[in-house]
Amino acid sequence: MTTSLQKTPGGASTGEPLLSVRDLTVAFTRRGEPDSVAVDGVSFDVAPGQIVGLVGESGCGKSVTSMAITRLLPARGVRVTGSAMMDGVDLLTLPEAEMRERRGRDLSMVFQDPLSSLNPVIPVGLQVTEVLTRHRGMKKEAARAEAADLLDRVGIPDPRRRLDSYPHQLSGGMRQRALIAIALACRPRLLIADEPTTALDVTIQAQILELLKDMVRDTGAALVMITHDLGVVAGLCETVNVLYGGRIVERAQRHRLFATPRHPYTNGLLGSIPRLDSPAGEDLVAIPGSVADNLPWASACAFAPRCPRAVGVCRTTTPEAETSGGRLLRCHNPVPATAE
Amino acid sequence: MTTLLQRKRKRVDDLAGGRSLTQEALRRLRRDPVALTGAAIVGLFVLVAVFAPLIAPYEATQSFPQLQQDLRPGSIPGPQEGFLLGSDQLGRDFFSRLVLASQQTLLVGVLATLIGLVVGMVIGTLAGAFGGWVDTLLMRVTDVLLAIPSLLLAISVAALFASPSQTSVIIAVSIVGVPIFARLLRGSMLAQRDSDHVVAATALGVRRPAVVLRHMLPNAIGPVVVQATLTLATSILDAAALSFLGLGDADPGRAEWGLMLAQAQALLEVRPALALYPAAAIIVIALGFTLLGESLREALDPKGSR
Ligand SMILES: Nc1ncnc2c1ncn2[C@@H]1O[C@H](COP(=O)(O)OP(=O)(O)O)[C@@H](O)[C@H]1O
Ligand code: SF4
Ligand SMILES: [Mg+2]
């Protein structure tokens, strides 16, 4: 447990949130086509040092959410509305030059594919020192020493020599370690990790999760953990946001969410957590259908065509998000709260 | 269980420490017979050009009475003692002129390609890095240039100069390469702009110029290097064609394969060698650069690597 940070036992922060996302909506616009809304009024808070999960199937808008907050979406063909407050400023309206100052320094990202996220023609060490000279104004030699230290801290053996290695000479796990080192090199207060273990071997995944947990604890950074896998969230996050079709459908403390999932989609996801002992390649999707079946949120519950608990009203009326007892729920006919 | 070989290989890999993808591509090239053939031709050509004054027994403009006295309509002295390939139509040593001409070809080819490369890269980088109206404007211009057949373009540009010279040939030939390099680089820069590692660098707050020059350009340049090798071949052909058409260097004494070819045209029946050797030289050297360029392309293609 983090001790240096003020937190109530429930995990909810006293005081100001570090990041406060409100009504984030991202629409992709293409001439001659109706806008396609990828993220639809998403709101959530991240307290300093807190680990928050953002969970949902592929295509539900997790990456777009994170790219919108960090302003990495293409400049054209995208409309972003809402706000993302950090340090009293709205990241979404900050001038690009100021955003560039903050990226890597105040907030950082770790991406899914560690090989393609590293520049293939530059030695790993230079990619670490680049951020150190950029944000911490370090001189070349000092930055190199610090880089070796960082690689050492993320568990890369023989870090001095690894500084001169090219990305393709490292294993997948080592690359992701290096990327974590780079992302945390300037001690940002917020780290967004977008499926950081998805591209890795199962055996490596647990190590990387452990490392991420240790690193954010050591540096005091808050972590937004993006994953399609509730199993990843299980040992990590304090609060979990479940995203479906661009909207948050359920949010609760992790142990409550796992003990008593109320949203039928969360319930379905919990039934499909892959286990280490399940045969490789086995299709674990317990929820029938796909996001292609979604109904428009504007006049229904998007999940209705796939929902085992769907009732008539689900196809005619938008379920509104309701909060009670620290849990947010967007459902007309939730799973009964038996054991709560 | 690891075999001895595997362990040994691992050790070798470890010892290699920092070996870039480019170095691996070069390693592959060294085992490719096509690349080796191309490299051998190009290497030999460069050697001959550099040491031409040492190889050629005489000056290009030097004429010899003993050759001239045998010159008459319908007969040009062939190979004989002291003159390896015989005389040209003016009683000069054909071998010396053939060898010395390689210098012109190398100089014009390399300079024209370099100028085209630099200008094309600046345009391609600007267009690819900034997109928007900069991109639209620059690409319209390159489209127009690309729409004109390359030799026609070179001829038109060369004809703009009041008096043809070596400089006008270089400029005319270099302009042919500009839109090719610009388009190519722009395309690979655009692909880089959306690539994961560029997004990742941006997510770390790396400044824009550094993103463009350090993260995009070096990764986008592979196809351009390949193209430069291929453009050397076409530059040499274009320069020779300009000379052949009388748009080349006005200096009548300077040995140049295209011009030699033009002058030998009327003498094909008298001494075909006068046309044959310069023509063969142009073709073989263009072929050498093409072979090298094509195998470079293959070696640098990421799909080709294991
Ligand atoms: N550049 C884009 N243009 C148009 N649609 C996009 C773009 N990027 C993502 N989308 C759409 O937005 C939705 C959410 O995508 P994403 O956030 O990547 O999902 P995930 O939750 O798997 O990370 C998807 O339906 C996807 O097709
Ligand atoms: S609103 Fe209806 S369709 Fe949607 S999740 Fe709840 S029960 Fe299922
Ligand atoms: Mg994603």
Side-chain angles (χ1 to χ4, degrees), chain B residues 8 21 73 162 195 221 301 304:
Chain B
K8 201 164 157 195
L21 290 173
S195 74
I221 213 147
D301 185 358

Side-chain angles (χ1 to χ4, degrees), chain A residues 28 30 36 38-39 56-65 73-74 78 194-195 226 243:
Chain A
F28 291 99
R30 204 171 280 159
S36 110
V39 177
E57 284 169 318
S58 172
C60 71
K62 305 182 297 291
S63 296
V64 171
T65 300
L73 290 170
V78 187
D194 189 351
E195 310 251 12
I226 293 179
L243 207 58

Side-chain angles (χ1 to χ4, degrees), chain A residues 208-255:
Chain A
I208 294 295
L209 284 180
E210 205 51 40
L211 173 71
L212 261 177
K213 201 154 92 175
D214 291 347
M215 289 300 287
V216 295
R217 185 171 49 215
D218 290 352
T219 62
L223 173 64
V224 175
M225 184 69 184
I226 293 179
T227 176
H228 65 278
D229 180 357
L230 267 178
V232 165
V233 162
L236 195 67
C237 302
E238 296 159 44
T239 301
V240 182
N241 295 281
V242 181
L243 207 58
Y244 189 84
R247 294 198 182 193
I248 292 178
V249 294
E250 185 167 17
R251 160 167 59 236
Q253 297 306 306
R254 182 236 306 167
H255 62 271

Side-chain angles (χ1 to χ4, degrees), chain A residues 47 306 319:
Chain A
R306 305 171 63 190

Side-chain angles (χ1 to χ4, degrees), chain B residues 21-22 25-30 32 34-36 38-39 42 221-230 232 288-302 304:
Chain B
L21 290 173
T22 321
L26 283 178
R27 222 160 37 106
R28 274 198 295 281
L29 270 181
R30 258 183 261 134
D32 177 2
V34 177
L36 292 179
V42 169
I221 213 147
V224 178
V225 172
V226 171
Q227 185 58 47
T229 318
L230 297 170
L232 268 168
F289 280 113
T290 307
L291 291 180
L292 193 60
E294 289 296 344
S295 40
L296 258 180
R297 193 208 302 278
E298 242 167 71
L300 289 175
D301 185 358

Side-chain angles (χ1 to χ4, degrees), chain A residues 257-275:
Chain A
L257 191 89
F258 277 76
T260 57
R262 298 289 314 278
H263 197 280
Y265 176 64
T266 314
N267 201 26
L269 277 183
L270 276 172
S272 66
I273 295 180
R275 291 166 193 287

Side-chain angles (χ1 to χ4, degrees), chain A residues 100 116 119 130 134-135 169, chain B residues 17 196 204-206 214 219:
Chain A
R100 274 183 193 272
S116 68
N119 187 338
E130 183 172 36
R134 166 75 174 98
H135 292 299
Q169 296 170 320
Chain B
D196 286 355
L204 290 166
V206 177
R214 199 180 303 150
N219 284 290

Side-chain angles (χ1 to χ4, degrees), chain A residues 147-164:
Chain A
D149 193 42
L150 280 162
L151 292 191
D152 190 38
R153 285 224 296 278
V154 294
I156 293 180
D158 202 358
R160 288 223 146 256
R161 216 190 44 166
R162 279 308 174 193
L163 289 176
D164 298 320

